Amino acid sequence: VQLQASGGGLVQAGGSLRLSCEGSGNIFSDNSMAWYRQGPGKERELVARIFRSGFTSYADSVKGRFTISRSNTKIATYLQMDSLKPEDTAVYYCQGNLRVGDKGFVGDYWGQGTQVTVSS
């Protein structure tokens, strides 16, 4: 089971980026998918989460600027980031609470990080 994140890069303040995260392997379903980030010298923090029902939640710092979505046809989540600020600079990680394997084991899985750098 693997989550693969992509889409990071360097962007000027006020710009936009779209992150993608796709799952592979013996994944039966996802209960929720999320994006976390860890800035320089900071703790990892939850940015946004989307549940299988479609319910979403966001960190206060990104409300109104970031939008999380998910695919209904595959294990994937996306993070549309608009009006980016220098303080959004961080390594972004996707996380999934997934049901995997023939026995339906439920656990948390993490993708590798993708760097987002916002210049002022």
Side-chain angles (χ1 to χ4, degrees):
V1 174
Q2 190 175 23
L3 294 176
Q4 182 72 38
S6 62
L10 173 64
V11 64
Q12 288 189 329
S16 298
L17 281 174
R18 179 178 168 86
L19 305 183
S20 298
C21 174
E22 294 194 14
S24 61
N26 194 4
I27 304 172
F28 181 75
S29 65
D30 65 282
N31 295 319
S32 69
M33 302 286 287
W35 290 93
Y36 287 74
R37 68 185 180 187
Q38 187 165 16
K42 298 181 180 180
E43 299 277 326
R44 187 175 296 190
E45 63 174 348
L46 176 63
V47 175
R49 183 178 298 279
I50 185 165
F51 292 86
R52 187 172 176 80
S53 64
F55 179 81
T56 58
S57 63
Y58 296 90
D60 288 343
S61 59
V62 306
K63 281 180 182 176
R65 299 188 299 121
F66 290 11
T67 303
I68 189 171
S69 60
R70 60 187 297 275
S71 171
N72 290 322
T73 58
K74 57 184 177 181
I75 303 300
T77 184
Y78 310 96
L79 187 68
Q80 177 66 40
M81 305 185 294
D82 298 319
S83 302
L84 282 161
K85 304 176 180 180
E87 51 263 45
D88 294 318
T89 294
V91 178
Y92 284 70
Y93 299 88
C94 63
Q95 178 261 340
N97 184 258
L98 307 176
R99 186 176 297 277
V100 305
D102 297 335
K103 295 185 178 180
F105 171 78
V106 176
D108 289 334
Y109 293 82
W110 291 86
Q112 92 290 0
T114 184
Q115 176 71 46
V116 171
T117 302
V118 184
S119 63
S120 57

